[in-house]
Amino acid sequence: MHEFSLMGEVLEVVRDSAREQGIRRVHRIQMTVGALGCVFPPALEQAFGILRDGDALFADATLEIEERPVRVHCNACGWSAEGADARFLCVECGANAVEVMSGEELTIDGYEGE
Amino acid sequence: MIKVRLMQKVMESNDAVAAENARKLRDAAVFSVDMMSAPGSGKTTILERTLDALIPALTIGVIQGDVDTTRDAERVQARGAQTVQINTGGACHLDAPAVAGALEDLDLDALDLLVIENVGNLICPTGFALGAHERVMVLSVTEGADKPEKYPAMFRSCSLALVNKTDLLPVLGLDLEAFAEEIARVNPDMQILPVSALTGEGMEDWYQWLRDRMAEGQ
Ligand SMILES: Nc1nc2c(ncn2[C@@H]2O[C@H](COP(=O)(O)OP(=O)(O)O)[C@@H](O)[C@H]2O)c(=O)[nH]1
Ligand SMILES: [Mg+2]
Ligand SMILES: [Zn+2]
């Protein structure tokens, strides 16, 4: 459950930024989480629910997670695939030239508040 | 209503501390390895044998992150390594600030090599850079050859796989080829060294890998 420490970090980043912006109530937080990132979105949501409890800044906040599938592209032959079809050795030409185009994201995109 | 765009990596503050750890280690000319695996795959046993083989030619430090007891730390300390135990309090991974604290307790200038035994877990430690030069994965043959495909991110984050407990291959009716193929499918760049920490078979190749990487760093 490393999602707890990750969520704690997210809330600290937003808290620092909100202080700078003079924001007293955060309404929504947006994140992007890639499927290769070892982060389980439901566990993040659960951690969010627990960590914001009793915290005025986040009392009305919702968490929006945009999930990104793994997308790969072979730089040798141009083969590409997504999600369950993604492989890290090219299934067309066998080359060790597969690049991960997406799936490794783990970002705090932004938030809204007043 | 104010919209604030951050586009910030969640790992940013951990990564910054990891970079600082890496700088400290580089300045002190200490080569460092972050060892990852599932629980029980043989990290501590490999470490014990490694210490027996390389001490006193090398001065070695060990940071023990493997959960709640000090048993592993005692095992390696008994072999002459400078040892620091990180009490993770049941946490599922080490992070860079915890390692930064442990580095304070080590005499880095005296060390040639630092091994960090991460928490036995194939998921949680993956995203947490510690600042070590290399990440090494220990996969024991008893875990089965399907682990790379099930935990691709961890395998992709490591440069070397020590495939351990090869002494048990005959009992299991498995061959190494199956492991090598499965690893190559998720991380074709990964180097693979079959070892048995029990019999010592293959261990010399691992010591040589360490010596080579240390020499490259000089
Ligand atoms: N048969 C066999 N057993 C091993 C080998 N390496 C470790 N073990 C055993 O595996 C168990 C777990 O080892 P340990 O080093 O504590 O694993 P760790 O949790 O990764 O640190 C112990 O009972 C070891 O004796 C090996 O190469 N062959
Ligand atoms: Mg251990
Ligand atoms: Zn191809």
Side-chain angles (χ1 to χ4, degrees):
Chain A
M1 277 298 280
H2 56 308
E3 283 86 357
F4 258 93
S5 45
L6 295 176
M7 202 61 230
E9 177 69 21
V10 170
L11 296 187
E12 281 321 297
V13 168
V14 173
R15 189 189 308 282
D16 287 348
S17 168
R19 189 176 301 126
E20 276 171 27
Q21 304 279 342
I23 289 173
R24 307 235 305 277
R25 290 212 164 253
V26 171
H27 295 308
R28 61 180 196 155
I29 300 174
Q30 289 162 302
M31 294 181 68
T32 300
V33 176
L36 254 186
C38 287
V39 176
F40 188 51
L44 272 183
E45 276 158 19
Q46 194 187 5
F48 176 67
I50 292 167
L51 289 171
R52 71 163 186 180
D53 201 33
D55 190 328
L57 181 63
F58 299 113
D60 325 312
T62 53
L63 176 66
E64 282 170 26
I65 299 176
E66 183 182 338
E67 297 184 42
R68 290 274 169 82
V70 183
R71 282 197 302 116
V72 294
H73 176 262
C74 176
N75 289 326
C77 75
W79 170 80
S80 63
E82 188 174 309
D85 296 326
R87 296 289 181 278
F88 304 101
L89 259 182
C90 182
V91 302
E92 282 295 325
C93 75
N96 174 11
V98 171
E99 194 177 334
V100 176
M101 311 304 289
S102 98
E104 288 171 332
E105 301 84 353
L106 181 58
T107 53
I108 314 164
D109 301 334
Y111 66 97
E112 285 175 18
E114 61 195 323
Chain B
M1 178 77 76
I2 305 173
K3 279 191 186 192
V4 182
R5 216 174 120 82
L6 292 171
M7 300 313 284
Q8 178 174 331
K9 286 190 173 161
V10 176
M11 302 312 301
E12 196 171 285
S13 65
N14 182 78
D15 288 352
V17 179
E20 184 59 22
N21 291 345
R23 193 192 54 75
K24 259 193 178 171
L25 291 164
R26 207 171 41 238
D27 287 353
V30 182
F31 177 69
S32 55
V33 173
D34 177 7
M35 253 184 158
M36 343 268 289
S37 82
S41 60
K43 295 181 298 300
T44 310
T45 312
I46 288 173
L47 200 46
E48 286 175 307
R49 235 185 210 271
T50 305
L51 298 176
D52 285 346
L54 302 184
I55 292 173
L58 297 177
T59 306
I60 304 179
V62 174
I63 296 176
Q64 263 299 339
D66 210 5
V67 272
D68 44 21
T69 72
T70 55
R71 283 175 63 166
D72 285 0
E74 283 159 16
R75 280 165 66 186
V76 297
Q77 187 142 39
R79 289 172 144 89
Q82 266 192 49
T83 307
V84 178
Q85 163 92 29
I86 292 180
N87 196 337
T88 60
C92 49
H93 61 277
L94 291 181
D95 60 18
V99 169
L103 292 182
E104 295 291 324
D105 295 336
L106 289 165
D107 177 11
L108 293 183
D109 288 328
L111 295 184
D112 302 303
L113 171 65
L114 172 68
V115 182
I116 304 168
E117 179 173 343
N118 213 317
V119 179
N121 185 317
L122 290 177
I123 301 172
C124 305
T126 308
F128 292 84
L130 303 181
H133 291 89
E134 297 280 357
R135 264 191 173 178
V136 172
M137 173 90 210
V138 178
L139 172 65
S140 62
V141 298
T142 47
E143 294 164 61
D146 61 347
K147 288 298 169 293
E149 183 139 46
K150 285 189 176 158
Y151 304 97
M154 162 118 335
F155 279 82
R156 291 177 59 75
S157 78
C158 297
S159 51
L160 171 70
L162 295 174
V163 179
N164 188 35
K165 309 195 187 180
T166 53
D167 56 287
L168 296 176
L169 282 169
V171 187
L172 297 166
L174 292 171
D175 60 34
L176 268 174
E177 209 38 49
F179 289 88
E181 266 172 32
E182 292 291 335
I183 290 169
R185 279 164 55 142
V186 297
N187 183 356
D189 297 321
M190 200 171 203
Q191 205 181 330
I192 300 170
L193 294 175
V195 296
S196 167
L198 185 70
T199 67
E201 197 184 351
M203 290 294 284
E204 187 53 44
D205 294 332
W206 152 241
Y207 307 147
Q208 196 53 46
W209 184 90
L210 283 172
R211 290 189 198 103
D212 290 347
R213 297 296 289 108
M214 291 175 72
E216 278 169 31
Q218 299 306 306

